[in-house]
Amino acid sequence: MLEVRNLKKTFKLSKKQQKISKTKDKIKVAVADVSFQAERGEILGILGANGAGKTTTLRMLASILKPEAGQVLFEGKDIYQDLSAYRKRIGFLTSELKLEEFFTPNYLFDFFAKLYDMSQEETQERKQKLFEKFGIDQFAEVKVADLSTGMKQKVSLVISIVNDPDVIIFDEPTNGLDIITEKIVVDFLLELREQGKCIIISTHIFSLIEKICDRVVMIIDGKAVKEDSLENIMAGQSLEDSFFTIYQEMGGNMNG
Amino acid sequence: MDRIIAVMKKEFFRFFHDKRMLFSSVLLPGVMIYVMYSIIGQAGASQRNVEDDYQTVAYGINVPASLQPAFESMNIQFETDITDIVEMKQKVEDKEVDLILAFSQDFDAQVAVYDSMTATQPAPQVEVFYNSSRTESSKAYAAVTSVLSQYESSMINKFDVNGNTDNKYDLASDKDSTAQLFSMLFPMLLLTFVFSGCMALAPEAIAGEKERGTITTILVTPIRQTELAIGKIVSLSVMSILSAISSFIATVLSLPKLIQGDGVDNISANVYSVTDYLVIFFVLISSVIVIISVISIISAYAKSVKEAGTLVTPLMIIVMLIGLTAMFDGAAKSEIYWYFIPLFNSVQSMLQVFSFDIHIVPVIVTIVSNIVYGGIFAVVLAKMFQSERIMYSK
């Protein structure tokens, strides 16, 4: 369903960034060569250390960043051939998202539904379903500012899938969640898989991948070094042990 | 179009449902201006006023008999407790006494024999010492020097200038007086009010969304960057206009209070017609579009609301300086090319209206060119929304 071919992305570093990174290089290679495929009805986990290029890869999948080289193909077509159509069929959630505190979940849902050209009936039906599922219905008219952290995270999640997307791209989906919300999110991702959605998540949490992912792409220093089923990658070990074995084989830096 | 309306509605919803924002950006500026101008005017007027029955206290040195009746009629009470001029000056400095009137000895006799055409010696002297920091002293000084000038004129009276007190020699009408004051002050004030309104709203709506990451979620939807830019600019313009209207009304209402008792009692905003106000309104709308789009661009460039505020401040100084040009020009420029310069054209068009010299072509050029500039800036803003470096750099 979604095919990623040899993605590359670099960023120009400002003098301040060069100073912080203690480098004289003006260019930072965030993603050097990443390829993989994600199919319907599966959860693909992108695993890597901080700064490996996971978030940049997901942002290219979400069409926020344009690859310098390589392609993202959706149902066989380059996503930039009809970006609007592609965007209607994806949902993207970043852990950096903070909702506007003034609005209510109800208002935000309706607003995003309009951006997706959804009809009134479609919006109401979808809203009712998702709000009930995540227990937001009782807080639908409460301002985001007055919601608990867990509830805010659930609202963020719901907002990112207003349009019932076929491809769901989540950057660190359980990052900072309380244990109850984390369970709800994990169960929901599994349910979406059952519905035939294509789910791509990035994380550095081994247990999450072990729990929900069907296949794994390991990214080290901007390169996809391994793409296989979870079972094959683990090869009888824990995912953590497998990761560090591969990481060291590929010359990954263990000194942080 | 539906998405543009959705973006606009969201901005309006926030603006009209956030009582604090509505109060601080619309109601408060107007109330503040009205209250402050009224208080300043009242304070100024009370500074200039002296009670009717106030008796001026003065020291007189060699006060001639010829002027005694005049000074008595002015309710001046002459003290005689000291004779030393240095001590007298100290009393005036200490605000215990209002004036010292020091005449040459035998003043009347000296004046009688003095002929300015043939004299080789200086004319007889009158020295009036006063304290300008004391209202009563300043008023008394003005009254005494006026009497002395009249006395001097009467000695050698060969002609009078504007001598008929029944005639009105200043032929300026209420309309002209208002025009002079309004055209000097209002373009600058209005531009500043408009800018303040825009500055209170745009950084939060653009840089705030960027800072929170919500703009990323919006840009992942099928909305086009141009739709988002137009939606933001139009809604922010409407809200800024409301803020500017509040400030404008407050200024018009409080200006007569601000300048009360200054010999300009004939100032009234009623001299302008509905058409004049409509022209001002449309010129202001076009100015708001330019200002809000420029502030939006700056806000999109900034990484946070705070940074946007810092970056916008120099622009505010530039806008105020453009507004100040109205004070120096006096009359609006007649050459049409001036009306293509954004914001300067607004000042010139407002000058035309306030000085009752409206020419339709420059006003239309102003409005249309400002809208075109706003459109160009909206495209720039949309391009900025597309720029990865601007939108996602840390």
Side-chain angles (χ1 to χ4, degrees), chain A residues 9 64 66 98 100 117, chain B residues 3 10 212 214 388 392:
Chain A
K9 186 73 187 174
I64 296 171
K66 203 167 183 179
K98 287 177 198 148
E100 281 185 81
D117 300 328
Chain B
R3 295 188 194 121
K10 176 172 158 273
R212 286 186 296 271
T214 45
E388 294 171 7
Y392 307 112

Side-chain angles (χ1 to χ4, degrees), chain B residues 150-166:
Chain B
Q150 283 173 29
Y151 180 64
E152 187 185 25
S153 300
S154 70
M155 300 264 141
I156 51 162
N157 192 22
K158 298 208 172 163
F159 64 89
D160 292 325
V161 178
N162 287 352
N164 188 345
T165 52
D166 293 334

Side-chain angles (χ1 to χ4, degrees), chain B residues 127-145:
Chain B
E127 291 179 305
V128 184
F129 298 95
Y130 73 111
N131 186 336
S132 63
S133 66
R134 182 170 152 81
T135 309
E136 290 83 353
S137 181
S138 293
K139 281 261 176 186
Y141 171 78
V144 163
T145 50

Side-chain angles (χ1 to χ4, degrees), chain B residues 83-97:
Chain B
T83 52
D84 181 26
I85 184 82
V86 178
E87 283 182 55
M88 288 179 184
K89 282 182 182 174
Q90 190 59 50
K91 291 252 184 189
V92 174
E93 196 180 326
D94 294 343
K95 299 177 184 174
E96 291 173 27
V97 170

Side-chain angles (χ1 to χ4, degrees), chain B residues 35 44 58 100 151 211 237 241 260-261 279 308 328 337-338 340 351:
Chain B
V35 171
I100 304 168
Y151 180 64
E211 196 177 355
S237 297
I241 279 283
Q260 61 185 302
V279 173
F328 305 114
Y337 55 82
W338 291 109
F340 286 98
L351 262 177

Side-chain angles (χ1 to χ4, degrees), chain A residues 9 12 17 59 64-66 84 87-88 90 92 96-98 100 102-103 107 111-112 114-117, chain B residues 3 6-7 9-10 13-14 17-18 209 212-214 216-223 388-389 392 394:
Chain A
K9 186 73 187 174
K12 279 183 190 162
Q17 287 167 324
R59 285 184 166 191
I64 296 171
L65 299 181
K66 203 167 183 179
S84 182
R87 284 178 170 169
K88 276 187 180 174
I90 63 162
F92 176 63
E96 289 171 8
L97 174 68
K98 287 177 198 148
E100 281 185 81
F102 181 77
F103 297 101
Y107 189 91
F111 170 67
F112 280 96
K114 274 183 195 138
L115 298 187
Y116 283 106
D117 300 328
Chain B
R3 295 188 194 121
V7 172
K9 273 185 171 174
K10 176 172 158 273
F13 183 88
R14 189 197 163 124
H17 285 80
D18 188 342
E209 291 241 37
R212 286 186 296 271
T214 45
T216 306
T217 315
I218 293 173
L219 289 172
V220 171
T221 70
I223 192 170
E388 294 171 7
R389 192 166 171 75
Y392 307 112
K394 299 270 178 189

